[in-house]
Amino acid sequence: MSVDERGTGSEAAPAGVVEAEPPAAGGPGGVGQPSRVRRTPLPLALLRNSWRQLTSMRTALILLFLLAVAAIPGSVLPQRNINIENVNRYAVEHPDLFPVLDRIGGFDVYASPWFSAIYVLLFTSLVGCIVPRLRDHVRALRAAPPPAPKRLDRLPQHAVLTDSDGDLAAIAAVLRKRRWRVVVRDDTVSAEKGFLKETGNLLFHFSLIGVLLGVGLGSWYGWHGNRLLVAGPDNAFCNNLQQYAESKLGHQVDGSDLPPFCLELTDFHAAFLPTGQPESFRATTLVEEDGAAPRRESFSVNDPLRLDGASVYLLGHGYAPILRYTDRNGEAQESDDAFLTIDGNLTSEGVAAFPDVNLDPATGARNPDLQVAFEGLYFPTTPDSPPFVRSTYPAERSPGVMLFAYRGNLGLDAGVPGSVYRLDQRQVSSGRLKQIGEGKLLRPGEKWTLDDGTSVEFLGTRKYITISVRYDPGERIVLISSVLLLVGLMPSLFGRRRRVWFRISPVPPDGVSPADPLSPAPAGATTTSRSSLVEVGGLPRTEYAGFADEFDRLVAATRPEGGRPDGARDDGAPEDGAPEDGARDDGTHPGRARSGGATEEGTD
Amino acid sequence: MAALSDQLLVVAILGYLLAMICHAVEYAFGTRSVIGRAAARPERERVLVGAGVGAAGGSAPVVGTKLPGVDVPTPAGGSRSPRAVLAGRAAVAFTVLGAVVHLAVLITRGIAAERMPWGNMYEYLLSVTFVGVVGWLVLLYRRPTLRHLGLFVALAMVLLLAVAGLVLYVPIVPLVPALDSYWFVVHVATIAVSSGILLLGAVPAVMYLLRHGYDQGKRSFPYSLGARVPAADTLERLTFRLHAFAFPLFTFAVMAGAVWAEAAWGRYWGWDPKEIWAFISWVVYAGYLHARATPSVKRPVATWIAVLGFLTMQMNLYGVNIFFEGLHSYGGLD
Ligand code: HEM
C-alpha cells in the first residue's frame, strides 16, 4: 500500500498522509509554506486548517471508528423502524430509562442526529480526500514517467546488463508490450506501471458516495406499506394509502404517487414437514395493473411479485375462519376476519364482530345492546382432548375454532379505535358487553345455538397472507455502486505501482561500484566484451513483495536473445520479499519530499 | 448418514487435538534460534536459491541484484532436534487428517439434510472452521516455516469444533423457506469463506502483537510466547495479506446478503442485528486497511484494529444469534 516514499503528488500519501501530522503548535496552515500563511487572514487559515484536519487520514480513521461504535446501540436497543412493538415493550419494562434513551435517539439510532453527523462528516472527509486525489491522478496519468535518478544502483532493484546491444528502442518496445508506460529520453528509458491501483482506489471511494446517494434517494422517493390480505374477491385491495395497516412514505412522496394496481389473493399453498417446520410457501394472486386485464401471478418468500413501480413481498400467512351468524330475525351474516397466528403451529386468535345484527325489524335501526361478537382461538389441528388452547400442527388436519360469545354494546361507536383482533375490554368490564355461556369448540360445519335462539356456524377458513408493498428507487443505484465498489476494491488492494529505468552507458561504469554494502559491485561488469552496458533500476512504489521477481524477468526479457526463459524464478505467486521492505524502511518518510523531483528517487 | 456425520465430528476433533499435542511437543523441543532463524529467513532463502539458479543457468548476465551475501541456504541449519521435526511433521499430518474428516463431516451432513450444510449455526461454524483449516494448510504448503503457528490454529479448531458439537448442535432439518434461495447459498458460502480467512488472519495478527511486544523487551506472560513465533515482519505481512484477500470477499458476501434480503424481506438493508454487526466489522476492517496504508499509524496499532475486527466478527457469529432477536436468528438455539 502506501509505501510511496515520495508521493510526487500523483498517488498515495497525499492529503491524508501529509496532513495527518498535526501542525506545529499554534502554527496555522502547513508548516512548509510560511510565507503564504502570513498573507492569509486568520479565519481563513483556521478554516483551511480545519478542512485539512477533516480530510486527513487520521480523521477518516477516527470517524470510521465512531461510525462503528455508533452503530452498536442499534443492535442492543429495539429500533422503531424495525419493530415498534419491541420498543413499546421496552418502554413499559424500563419506564425510567426509556425517556432518557429516547431523547438521545436510542430507538432511532440510524436516523439520530449523532449517527447522521458522523457519516456526514465522514463523507465530507471522503470527498475532501478523493477529489484532490482524482485531480492528481488524472495529472499523473497524463504525465510521462519521470526521468531516471542519477544513481540507479541505489534503487531497491538494480541490475547491470553486460551483454546488451544497447538498443533503447527495443527495450522500450518490450516494456510497452508488457503494458508499461514508457518514455525514452536521450540515453534512458523510464517506465511506469500500476496506475490501476489508484484508479481502483478512486473508483472504490467514489462508489461509496454512490451508495450513500442511492440510500438517500431511496429514503426520499421510496415508500412502503404493509397489510394483510385474505383470500377471495371480496377482500381484494387496490393500492392506496388507506388500504395499508401501516405505511411510510419518503419525504418526497405523497399518496397520489402510488402506482395503481389491484391485488386479489386466489390461493395460498403452504407445505410443512412432519415436525411442523415450514417447507415452502406460495401465494397465487390476480393482479390488475393500469386497467389491463387481470393476470395470474404467483410469488413466494425470496421470490417477490414485481409490479410496475412496486414489489410485493410475502411476509407471513395464517387463517381467517368463516363464521356465519344468524340473528333473531333469521338474517344471516358472514365474517372472515383474519385471526393472528400466535405460535409456530399457527394457533390463531381473533374476533368476529357483528355490529349490525338483531336490527329492529320495523325501523332497521341498530340495537346497541344486541350486537354480537365472538372471540376465538383457531386451531388448524385441534388437540384430541381439552384443553383447547394450542394447535398441534400448522396445516389444517383437523380444524376447530374455540368460540366465546358476547352480546351487548361493542363500543364501536365510541370513536376510540380499538384492535380488530380483540374485544374492547372496557365494554366487557363495564358490563355493557356480556359473555354468553361458556366457550364452545366448533368443527367445520358445526353450529352453536345461543341462549336467545340465534346461532353461529363455522363454515371453514380462508387463507390470508401478510404482505409488504415496497418501492425503492435508490436500489438500482446502490446495486450499481456496490458492484463498482467491488470492482475498484480489487486493483486498489492488489495493484502495485512501480517504476523501472534503463540507462545505457557507452563504457562499463567503473563508478557504479557503490559503498552501499547492500549493493555489491556488479561482478563481471568489467569483464564484458561489449561496448555498451545497460544499467537497470527498479522501484516499487507500493508494497510489492514479488517485485524482485518481476524485475528480473523484465530484465531478462529485454536482453537481445531474450535471456533466460521467463519465469526461471517464477515458482508460484509472488512472495513477501524482504528486499522491498528494506527499501521502504530506509526510504524517506512518506510525504516528506512531496514536491521533490524524480531524480531524488531513493537518494535519501 | 446424520449419525455418521456426528461421529465423524468427534474424529475430526480428535485429529486436531493430536495435531495440537504434536505441535506443542515440537514447540517444546524446538530451539529458539532455529525457529527464529528459519522463520525470519524464508523469503531471502528462496530468492537466493532462485538467484543462484539464474546465475548458474544463464551465464550470469544479471549481476548486482541487491541481495545479501552468498551464504548457502540451509533451511534447517543449526541444532535442530529430530524429535521436534518429527513432531512437527506429525502435527501437520494430523491436521490434514482432521481436515479430511472435517470435510467428511460436512459432506455427510449435507447428504443427510439433502442441501448445503449451512442451515444453522452448528453447520455454519463447521463450514467456517473448515475454510479456516484449509486456508491454513494452503498457507503452510507455501510457507512451511510458519508451522509453529499450527499450535494456535489447532487449538482454535479444537475449541471451535467443541463449541459447535456441544453448544450449537442441532438435529438435521431442511431449510426454512426464507433460506431457500440461490442468493442464500452465495451469501453464506462467501461469508463462511471470508470469515474463515479472517479467522485465520487473526492468528498471525495476535502472534505479531506478541512478537512485537517481545522484540520490545517485554517478557511477561503473553509476550513470552512471542519468543518462539516467526519474525514480526513476516507475521505482519501475512496478517495484511490474509485480510486483504478476505476483505473484498467479505464485501461481496455482505452485498450478496443484501440482494437476498431485498428478495426475501423487501429491503436490501434494514439494520437487523446481524446486518449491524456485519456493518461494524466491515467498517473496522476498512479502518485496518486504512491504518495500515497510513505510514503515520504504527503497525501494531493497525494490527490491533485487525484484532478488533476479529472480535466484532465473533460477536456477529455467536453474540447476535444468541443475544439478539432478529431476522437472522435462525441459529436454532431457542
Ligand atoms: C466512507 C468510509 C471509507 C471507507 C469504507 C473506506 C475504505 C477503504 C478501503 C477498504 C481501502 C483499502 C484499499 C487500499 O488499501 O488500497 C481504502 C483505501 C484508502 N482510503 Fe478509504 N475509505 C473510506 C473513507 C476514506 C476517507 C475519508 C479518506 C481520506 C481521508 C480515505 C482515503 C483512502 C486512501 C488514501 C486509501 C489508499 C491507501 C493506499 O493504499 O495508499 N478513505 N479505503
Side-chain angles (χ1 to χ4, degrees), chain A residues 1-2 12 55-57 60 64 122 125-126 129 133 201 204-205 208 489 492-493, chain B residues 247 282 286 289-290 293:
Chain A
M1 312 241 304
S2 163
T55 55
S56 79
M57 195 73 135
L64 271 174
L122 181 60
S125 167
L126 182 63
C129 181
R133 272 180 83 111
N201 195 32
F204 170 83
H205 285 90
L208 280 174
L489 186 56
S492 170
L493 279 172
Chain B
F247 185 78
W282 193 78
L289 293 177
H290 270 132

Side-chain angles (χ1 to χ4, degrees), chain A residues 75 82 277 302 306 313 576, chain B residues 43 174 178 241 260 262 271:
Chain A
S75 70
I82 296 172
Q277 183 187 303
N302 280 324
R306 306 281 184 191
Y313 301 87
D576 290 336
Chain B
E43 324 309 339
R241 300 185 69 170
W260 170 44
E262 193 282 327
W271 298 109

